[in-house]
Amino acid sequence: MDSSVHLDQIVMRFGDFTAVSRTDLKIESGEFFSFLGPSGCGKTTILNMVSGFLSPTEGAIRIGGEDMRNVPANKRPTSMIFQNLALFPLMTVAENIEFGLEVRGVARSERKKVSDRLLNLVALPDSGKKKVAELSGGQKQRIAIARALAVEPRVLLLDEPLSALDLKLRQHMRTELKEIQRKTGITFIYITHDQGEALTMSDRVAVMSAGKLQQVADPMTLYRYPQTVFAASFVGENNKLTGKVSSVEDDRVSLDCGPLGQLTGTTRQSLKVGEEACLFVRPEYLRRCEADTPQSLRMTINELNFEGSFVMMDARLHANQQGVRVQLNTDAYMADLTPGAEVSFNYQPSEAIVVGGAHV
Amino acid sequence: MFKQLCNRFGTPISVGIAALLLVWLIALVILPQLLMVDYSFRPNLLPSEIGGPKDSYSLVNYVTLFNNKIHLGIFFKTIWSSVMVTALTLVVSYPLAFYLAKVATPKQAALCLLLLIIPFWINEILRTFSWYIILAYNGPLNAMLQALGLIDRPLRFLSGNGGVMVGMVYAYILFMIFPLYNALESLDANQIRAARNLGASWAKTHLRIIIPHAKPGIATGCIMTFMLAAGSYAVPALLGSPGSRWFTQIIYNWFFEGGNWNQGAAYAFLLLILCIGFIGLVMKVFKVGLGDIAK
Ligand SMILES: Nc1ncnc2c1ncn2[C@@H]1O[C@H](COP(=O)(O)OP(=O)(O)O)[C@@H](O)[C@H]1O
Ligand SMILES: [Mg+2]
């Protein structure tokens, strides 16, 4: 069945305020698609339009090619997992899961079969008779998933479903969600402000900022080749060095970074000489080097933080006092790297990305 | 609690406050009520006979009601009509309270609440009397319905129970709306969305999610409205017809026309006891606890 979701030229305005600027996006059938962006950028608003709680000011939502404009929320083939779960506190766990079937008039015995099967799927058999208040956070989470799946939606909408869980559980639930998605083949639209979640689970990620889509790409591409200053800064850790384009040769771009000198990186954009641009180098691509080698940055170490498998180093660039971060392998963490020491690090031009524009 | 008071105001002031409260409770609430209880068990005697051999406690005043078919009929009719008033008030208030709590923007809600409250700055008698004017045989409602061609001759709204019902719904609507509004207000909007999202129609959403959540508020509103309706005097006196007498009117007559305070007190307690019993029963049936209501 076609479970694609097409945001067809949608715009959402609340009065004068544009919560979602014009967006055209096709989410494929069976895809695990994430919207990633800071709080308040319009993610929930998009889910609310897909589920029918809000009507877009302009444009249309199409699910499986079908225009949803005249389909009310309770008739759409979508199911939502709410940011606060919104389990029904006055019902038992089984009643919660069966609610969608109950309102469709499905017989009790039939409903019971479904809730039993789903309780097994989310690894909580025998909890059907419990009250919602008796469950732990992680268990509530799974019941919310089971309840949403019970109505056999074509599209599952998840609004930051893991944000209330502790780290261990969150990582566990990531795997489980992905597993459920594989098993059911339902289109997942997942919302998060946590880039780790978006990158590990998604087939594709849309990075959003202030109601605008910044970039839509698979996680690897997004991480390796961010296309806007915002995407580069928001996804993963990045060191941002600003300058003006001084030369362009195929995908190699050199920037004149003022006191930092000439720095070269790679771009996927067509940039013009003289244009403002940013060069992004991730902390893990910076390597120890001799002073004055190409692409080298001279810095003073501020602080070294042991993170287990690596050491994160905070330093300050000599030339302009800008803060940078460097990720060091624990075995490369040598004794001469101490706070206050002066060192040089450089990177390979193929590992640094140049993006046009100077501001987010 | 007393400790908290002491910490905040010091012991002497706290003792003073507590003493005042106690005096107020005893002198102005408990004693008069006890006096009424005492009255209700004693016969109505001439002043000279009080304290004499005839002045003994008995249930005679209470039994009177059960031997008087007319009074008994009015008694139960009052209970039944109060139930109807309560139901009608609930039906009118629920959509309004829902709109205020969950649909209206804060500005709209504030405006609506203001419009609801302003009429209550006017004295109850005046408000009730204005209904008398509206519903009168030659009144504006009849004139309007006639002008619209909906009826060809005026209706007698005030001859049956209709006038009393309308008057009471109007008089007590705030006592229903506020508890309902409070209860609905506390419902997480996502609960409603979740129900809709899972395919529930609006009717099902109200029935299964919203009303169960609002049950304590509904219970509080219903109890208040019922008690006020059953104990109402002004509305039936002004808008009622001879056929729609309220039990309170009979109590009034015992006190101020029959001059029999003992009998009146007994009737008043019977009404109180029955109302409380009735409420207890209804709460049992709908599985509402006292704790729910206090919330
Ligand atoms: N019903 C509404 N009326 C007015 N503004 C709204 C409404 N819903 C959301 N907004 C605004 O739209 C923006 C996006 O909100 P939302 O989609 O909830 O963000 P998030 O990405 O955190 O989920 C916010 O600035 C919010 O204040
Ligand atoms: Mg949100």
Side-chain angles (χ1 to χ4, degrees):
Chain A
M1 198 187 324
D2 185 4
S3 319
S4 64
V5 177
H6 185 184
L7 311 183
D8 189 355
Q9 300 291 339
I10 56 164
V11 177
M12 186 72 221
R13 279 189 283 269
F14 296 111
D16 295 337
F17 175 71
T18 306
V20 177
S21 311
R22 189 168 298 281
T23 297
D24 192 84
L25 178 68
K26 184 133 191 229
I27 298 166
E28 300 301 333
S29 200
E31 189 173 13
F32 196 124
F33 191 95
S34 295
F35 285 95
L36 171 65
S39 180
C41 72
K43 306 181 299 287
T44 301
T45 305
I46 287 189
L47 275 205
N48 281 339
M49 286 190 281
V50 175
S51 58
F53 300 131
L54 285 175
S55 311
T57 318
E58 286 173 37
I61 305 282
R62 287 172 214 286
I63 299 178
E66 195 187 332
D67 191 341
M68 288 285 129
R69 259 177 294 202
N70 293 317
V71 182
N74 62 331
K75 300 269 191 259
R76 294 198 181 188
T78 60
S79 203
M80 181 126 148
I81 293 171
F82 291 83
Q83 201 159 2
N84 64 354
L85 303 186
L87 292 174
F88 305 130
L90 300 176
M91 300 183 192
T92 63
V93 166
E95 282 171 332
N96 262 282
I97 297 176
E98 292 170 24
F99 183 82
L101 303 173
E102 180 199 322
V103 299
R104 282 170 174 73
V106 175
R108 187 179 297 263
S109 56
E110 212 43 47
R111 292 193 326 238
K112 174 105 175 55
K113 270 186 221 155
V114 174
S115 65
D116 284 346
R117 178 171 61 76
L118 287 169
L119 281 170
N120 271 321
L121 178 76
V122 297
L124 284 172
D126 313 319
S127 326
K129 292 217 166 58
K130 283 191 186 157
K131 282 265 169 214
V132 171
E134 293 169 38
L135 303 178
S136 70
Q139 290 171 330
K140 281 187 188 147
Q141 185 63 61
R142 291 158 199 230
I143 297 307
I145 294 168
R147 183 179 74 173
L149 290 174
V151 296
E152 297 187 358
R154 278 149 65 190
V155 182
L156 193 67
L157 309 169
L158 304 100
D159 191 353
E160 309 204 16
L162 306 184
S163 54
L165 304 183
D166 57 59
L167 185 68
K168 261 264 163 53
L169 204 51
R170 207 151 61 211
Q171 276 164 352
H172 178 70
M173 287 305 294
R174 279 185 198 176
T175 339
E176 251 174 62
L177 275 177
K178 189 73 201 162
E179 182 74 23
I180 289 171
Q181 200 253 347
R182 249 197 304 271
K183 276 189 204 159
T184 55
I186 297 171
T187 307
F188 272 44
I189 302 183
Y190 191 96
I191 277 189
T192 181
H193 63 262
D194 178 328
Q195 35 125 349
E197 267 173 32
L199 296 181
T200 48
M201 290 192 284
S202 320
D203 297 320
R204 277 194 303 159
V205 180
V207 179
M208 266 185 98
S209 159
K212 285 193 192 71
L213 285 194
Q214 296 279 327
Q215 186 174 357
V216 181
D218 64 90
M220 205 84 90
T221 309
L222 190 62
Y223 191 80
R224 288 287 287 119
Y225 305 106
Q227 289 307 299
T228 65
V229 176
F230 179 84
S233 319
F234 192 73
V235 181
E237 283 232 40
N238 238 332
N239 294 304
K240 175 174 141 190
L241 306 166
T242 51
K244 278 199 166 66
V245 177
S246 57
S247 74
V248 183
E249 199 176 309
D250 297 333
D251 64 349
R252 280 293 141 89
V253 181
S254 289
L255 296 190
D256 175 7
C257 295
L260 293 173
Q262 291 284 325
L263 295 173
T264 305
T266 310
T267 190
R268 291 195 157 187
Q269 300 172 339
S270 57
L271 300 170
K272 287 182 195 69
V273 174
E275 196 178 333
E276 283 195 321
C278 295
L279 182 135
F280 288 94
V281 192
R282 297 209 180 267
E284 64 266 31
Y285 293 146
L286 284 166
R287 283 179 209 93
R288 189 79 189 272
C289 68
E290 298 300 318
D292 297 325
T293 47
Q295 334 305 344
S296 74
L297 301 165
R298 189 106 184 120
M299 58 189 80
T300 311
I301 302 175
N302 272 348
E303 203 173 34
L304 291 154
N305 292 305
F306 180 64
E307 305 267 1
S309 55
F310 62 89
V311 173
M312 189 56 90
M313 180 179 101
D314 277 321
R316 203 156 280 285
L317 293 183
H318 243 210
N320 64 0
Q321 296 305 305
Q322 187 192 334
V324 289
R325 307 194 84 188
V326 179
Q327 183 179 323
L328 304 163
N329 286 329
T330 308
D331 49 357
Y333 170 43
M334 290 159 287
D336 65 330
L337 293 179
T338 49
E342 226 173 83
V343 284
S344 286
F345 279 80
N346 73 353
Y347 61 87
Q348 295 301 314
S350 63
E351 292 168 341
I353 298 300
V354 179
V355 173
H359 305 288
V360 170
Chain B
M1 209 161 84
F2 187 68
K3 235 189 190 148
Q4 285 172 338
L5 266 183
C6 285
N7 286 339
R8 185 170 287 186
F9 300 112
T11 311
I13 294 182
S14 304
V15 170
I17 293 174
L20 271 175
L21 248 168
L22 219 63
V23 168
W24 178 71
L25 253 176
I26 291 174
L28 298 174
V29 181
I30 298 175
L31 275 182
Q33 291 296 324
L34 281 178
L35 208 64
M36 277 294 162
V37 174
D38 182 63
Y39 268 19
S40 72
F41 286 107
R42 283 158 57 179
N44 185 29
L45 299 169
L46 294 172
S48 61
E49 290 170 319
I50 290 175
K54 283 190 189 169
D55 194 356
S56 62
Y57 289 106
S58 75
L59 285 171
V60 173
N61 292 328
Y62 287 86
V63 176
T64 312
L65 175 65
F66 299 95
N67 293 329
N68 187 327
K69 284 266 144 32
I70 296 175
H71 286 180
L72 202 59
I74 293 175
F75 182 73
F76 285 116
K77 205 219 70 170
T78 300
I79 301 292
W80 175 242
S81 298
S82 303
V83 171
M84 295 304 288
V85 167
T86 308
L88 206 61
T89 313
L90 178 60
V91 168
V92 173
S93 305
Y94 182 82
L96 207 69
F98 183 75
Y99 169 79
L100 286 175
K102 283 283 159 285
V103 183
T105 62
K107 247 191 200 150
Q108 291 168 329
L111 181 69
C112 271
L113 283 175
L114 197 67
L115 289 177
L116 275 169
I117 292 169
I118 285 176
F120 284 76
W121 293 348
I122 301 165
N123 161 308
E124 185 185 346
I125 307 280
L126 280 179
R127 267 185 294 128
T128 309
F129 204 74
S130 62
W131 273 108
Y132 182 84
I133 296 169
I134 292 169
L135 297 174
Y137 190 72
N138 293 321
L141 183 61
N142 268 321
M144 199 178 77
L145 289 176
Q146 267 180 307
L148 288 172
L150 293 171
I151 51 174
D152 23 287
R153 96 174 73 100
L155 298 172
R156 289 194 187 276
F157 294 113
L158 293 169
S159 68
N161 264 330
V164 182
M165 293 274 175
V166 170
M168 286 208 187
V169 169
Y170 181 60
Y172 305 131
I173 194 161
L174 287 192
F175 294 91
M176 185 66 92
I177 283 187
F178 281 116
L180 276 184
Y181 173 79
N182 271 338
L184 290 169
E185 170 89 289
S186 69
L187 176 66
D188 171 19
N190 276 353
Q191 293 270 312
I192 300 175
R193 288 178 170 173
R196 295 283 293 157
N197 185 248
L198 290 166
S201 61
W202 275 116
K204 281 258 170 58
T205 307
H206 279 281
L207 229 54
R208 294 285 279 126
I209 307 296
I210 303 170
I211 292 178
H213 173 87
K215 207 164 76 170
I218 295 175
T220 310
C222 285
I223 289 171
M224 285 212 266
T225 310
F226 176 79
M227 288 302 261
L228 287 167
S232 170
Y233 180 79
V235 179
L238 282 171
L239 297 177
S241 56
S244 66
R245 281 221 293 174
W246 224 248
F247 194 66
T248 44
Q249 290 171 290
I250 295 175
I251 298 174
Y252 179 91
N253 286 349
W254 277 125
F255 272 96
F256 300 109
E257 274 160 34
N260 189 344
W261 281 43
N262 309 78
Q263 189 61 61
Y267 268 39
F269 281 115
L270 277 172
L271 183 63
L272 180 67
I273 290 162
L274 196 92
C275 285
I276 290 174
F278 182 77
I279 286 167
L281 187 76
V282 172
M283 278 168 61
K284 248 237 157 82
V285 170
F286 288 100
K287 299 200 178 92
V288 183
L290 273 179
D292 296 332
I293 292 170
K295 260 190 254 172

